[in-house]
Amino acid sequence: MEIQRVGIVGSGIMGSGVAEVAARAGFEVVIRSRKQETAEDMVARMARSLDKQVEKGRLEAGDRDAIVGRVSPTSQLSELAECDVVIESVVEDLGVKKHLFNELDSACKPDTILATNTSTLPVVELAVETGRPDRVCGIHFFNPAPMMSLVEVVRPLTASDDTIAAARAFAEACGKQPVEVKDRAGFIVNALLFPYLNNAVRLLESGTASGDDIDTAMKGGCNFPMGPLALLDLVGLDTSLAILDALYDEFRDPNYAAVPLLRRMVAAGQLGRKTGKGFFDYSR
Ligand SMILES: NC(=O)c1ccc[n+]([C@@H]2O[C@H](COP(=O)([O-])OP(=O)(O)OC[C@H]3O[C@@H](n4cnc5c(N)ncnc54)[C@H](O)[C@@H]3O)[C@@H](O)[C@H]2O)c1
């Protein structure tokens, strides 16, 4: 099946990033947010970020106009009806996503692939909310989506080979490297990454070292491009907590049990970059 029209649901960090990736790759993109103005703001933000690339000489002005021209903002799920694939990228909450898959199943044409960008949640539980469980899979981009080369294509028990092949081809057409993984919490990357991130918070909470020194140590000692606390701030502490909770629910491994400091920061609304404060301060 050839994918031409892509729907994105959710206009947060990942929805915006994936919309930009798909529009740059030449797909027609419909971005749906619950409010029309939020969807329009997202397209305006994308245009501003592309403007900066034009100023730096990394993008032609004509290409910027073409990319932005391919993106249509909407608040209506019915506008996704003719999409060949819809990638859901709303809050990491199984109840919210299940409800959305049910609605997408009614709104979209019968052969639309319904994909989730979830980091950890069971994809099969979304598939069985629809009348097309064979056409549901995970297409998991990484943050920031325009820069990160990997896409995990997640195969729930119900998915057909055609769906997985189309998801892989779509990721490649977006210039990404797909890997295929079974529907297990955390897939490959987050199952391996989150015990490390959680243990960095544990070190901070126990007073072993300052946040700055923990991040400096992992950058200088392991040659990582970012420290673990800065990475948690980039991902969003609410999303990170939801990921750890889902991993712990599935495997009961104590390495996945979220450190209390992380939970308290989320309760305090300190969610990282998106709120201006997390382990570090972004308000200036
Ligand atoms: N942040 C990351 O690094 C990252 C990376 C890969 C995948 N993901 C996954 O992408 C998805 C979105 O994460 P994000 O980081 O973009 O989050 P975000 O907080 O930036 O955005 C969440 C979006 O969900 C919408 N939303 C919230 N409640 C909703 C509801 N009840 N119904 C419909 N929409 C609702 C919000 O308006 C917002 O547009 C999650 O499943 C997350 O696990 C996140």
Side-chain angles (χ1 to χ4, degrees):
M1 153 183 205
E2 206 197 331
I3 290 175
Q4 291 178 340
R5 203 172 164 81
V6 177
I8 308 282
V9 185
S11 51
I13 301 173
M14 291 310 292
S16 327
V18 176
E20 182 180 329
V21 168
R24 272 177 172 269
F27 294 104
E28 292 296 322
V29 177
V30 183
I31 172 112
R32 187 268 181 179
S33 194
R34 285 171 296 175
K35 289 195 194 132
Q36 180 71 26
E37 62 196 85
T38 315
E40 283 169 9
D41 280 355
M42 203 218 77
V43 180
R45 266 201 322 275
M46 183 192 298
R48 282 198 297 275
S49 124
L50 295 174
D51 283 346
K52 286 193 193 132
Q53 300 193 32
V54 173
E55 281 160 26
K56 288 180 188 157
R58 292 189 195 141
L59 186 70
E60 296 293 326
D63 289 341
R64 172 204 52 205
D65 296 345
I67 294 168
V68 176
R70 282 194 282 271
V71 183
S72 331
T74 182
S75 59
Q76 303 300 315
L77 281 177
S78 55
E79 299 276 317
L80 301 168
E82 293 305 316
C83 289
D84 303 306
V85 61
V86 172
I87 304 172
E88 162 285 308
S89 207
V90 304
V91 64
E92 187 77 337
D93 179 303
L94 189 57
V96 170
K97 288 187 193 284
K98 278 184 171 182
H99 181 69
L100 184 58
F101 268 70
N102 195 289
E103 289 186 315
L104 286 171
D105 190 39
S106 307
C108 297
K109 61 182 177 162
D111 64 349
T112 303
I113 293 177
L114 301 179
T116 174
N117 191 31
T118 180
S119 304
T120 37
L121 297 171
V123 179
V124 71
E125 292 203 31
L126 305 178
V128 297
E129 286 295 316
T130 73
R132 61 183 92 189
D134 57 316
R135 301 196 70 71
V136 175
C137 68
I139 302 183
H140 184 216
F141 284 83
F142 288 77
N143 182 14
M147 285 170 63
M148 302 298 280
S149 62
L150 184 71
V151 167
E152 289 177 328
V153 174
V154 184
R155 182 192 279 267
L157 286 173
T158 44
S160 69
D161 290 344
D162 281 354
T163 297
I164 298 301
R168 287 190 79 111
F170 170 68
E172 279 166 2
C174 288
K176 304 298 183 190
Q177 170 71 63
V179 292
E180 190 179 319
V181 55
K182 279 190 191 161
D183 182 20
R184 295 286 179 278
F187 316 127
I188 300 171
V189 173
N190 287 333
L192 294 173
L193 177 65
F194 269 82
Y196 155 67
L197 297 180
N198 197 33
N199 280 314
V201 183
R202 200 186 312 282
L203 279 188
L204 179 70
E205 187 170 61
S206 66
T208 303
S210 68
D212 278 334
D213 283 353
I214 291 169
D215 274 23
T216 300
M218 294 313 291
K219 284 188 284 182
C222 293
N223 219 10
F224 289 172
M226 296 180 87
L229 302 175
L231 180 53
L232 283 162
D233 281 350
L234 177 75
V235 171
L237 302 197
D238 53 341
T239 302
S240 299
L241 179 61
I243 290 171
L244 280 164
D245 284 346
L247 283 161
Y248 186 75
D249 271 357
E250 180 125 309
F251 299 113
R252 302 283 153 184
D253 175 338
N255 278 304
Y256 294 131
V259 170
L261 175 61
L262 180 63
R263 208 173 285 286
R264 294 298 180 274
M265 289 176 73
V266 172
Q270 296 174 9
L271 306 183
R273 281 176 188 251
K274 62 184 160 187
T275 57
K277 185 166 171 47
F279 292 105
F280 301 104
D281 191 354
Y282 304 90
S283 54
R284 274 162 282 122

